[in-house]
Amino acid sequence: MLTAFARAFRTPDLRKKLLFTLGIIVVYRVGTHIPIPGVDYKSVQTCIDVSNGNQGLFGLVNMFSGGALLQITIFALGIMPYITASIILQLLTVVIPRLEALKKEGQAGTAKITQYTRYLTVALAILQGTGLVATARSGALFSGCPTANQIVPDQSIFTTITMVVCMTAGTCVVMWLGELITDRGIGNGMSILMFISIAATFPSALWAIKKQGTLAGGWIEFGTVILVGLVMVGLVVFVEQAQRRIPVQYAKRMIGRRSYGGTSTYIPLKVNQAGVIPVIFASSLLYIPALVAQFSGSTSGWKTWIETNLTKGDHPIYLVSYFLLIVFFAFFYVAISFNPEEVADNMKKYGGFIPGIRAGRPTAEYLSYVLNRITWPGSLYLGLIALVPTMALVGFNASGNFPFGGTSILIIVGVGLETVKQIESQLQQRNYEGFLR
């Protein structure tokens, strides 16, 4: 990785792209520390110190915002509205024929879907911003903090609207920055910003583990967490790179005096075909009942059951539910993102076939069979990786968030590998240009 970056900085064109990407990252990190109007910054910092890294229900969203959510800054919502909108549009593409037709139109259809994603992002930002302001005003953002009700001193309608507008505008700016990186920088802009947001929370989380430790001043716990993190990174890199390559042979065809086809290739099916999406789905689904119970004024048995079993990450019911939901969403997302029948039809259309398998329906059935078999280990791997932080917190008797969580490690490793691949591919293109000349 370091070699790729060193070679890239020696190439003028790539150096400009890398410096532009770094400049956008600096702008993004500055925005995560600018509070919005109407917020008492001292009260927020006091509550953050009192919480001592225990972020409760808002831990996932705070991680994706780079810690800006709990500080209620202009980038408090981060890229979560865009991520949610992208997932919703991807799911609706399978259900709505119009969106499916746009997806098949190529670049023009993709641009139209991107425009719909932007509109939905703004709508979700308004909704989430309103919810965040209401949570901050009620004092529920920091449970157990004595000054939680003083975070928003002026609770007038004008102040509330101003706060929501500022956070919505901040989300639009984040979306714009991500698109700038995609167009003029290196890698996928939204993925890069997500990578930076998660990586920015690592130092404070690691230091919180050190302060809460009791062995040798916390350094033994600190070193153990670092070691566990390195092992998890190695495991994630190994599984993320693992794939089943299905060989495909294209028949030789004569068109006029030219021959086409006659080549061999393969279809790469990753073991973790769904990526980090199942973990986000499962976390969000378990987040909903806990949020409803928190804002409900009821004292009935269902609220007590939810608060006892579904709000504590170390409870057996929560752990089992989390694991099963990840496995379910892994199969669900793979089913909607990879269509074996479509792949088989495209292969048949261009004269391709899998050796030993007839073209058409038998090919689709074979692809579906292989995909189901490799999705099982992929889904179990996702579930185990997601449960590691909870088991680590129980082992250390810590109340904060484990810095090397399953979601964070998956995103950081995935984005890092993809960015390095893009840099290396562009370096190879420039080397090949020299040979061609």
Side-chain angles (χ1 to χ4, degrees), residues 188-200:
N188 183 282
M190 294 302 171
S191 299
I192 295 292
L193 294 183
M194 193 188 310
F195 176 95
I196 296 301
S197 298
I198 296 172

Side-chain angles (χ1 to χ4, degrees), residues 60-73:
L60 180 66
V61 184
N62 189 64
M63 180 187 69
F64 280 111
S65 66
L69 175 75
L70 295 183
Q71 297 191 23
I72 319 180
T73 65

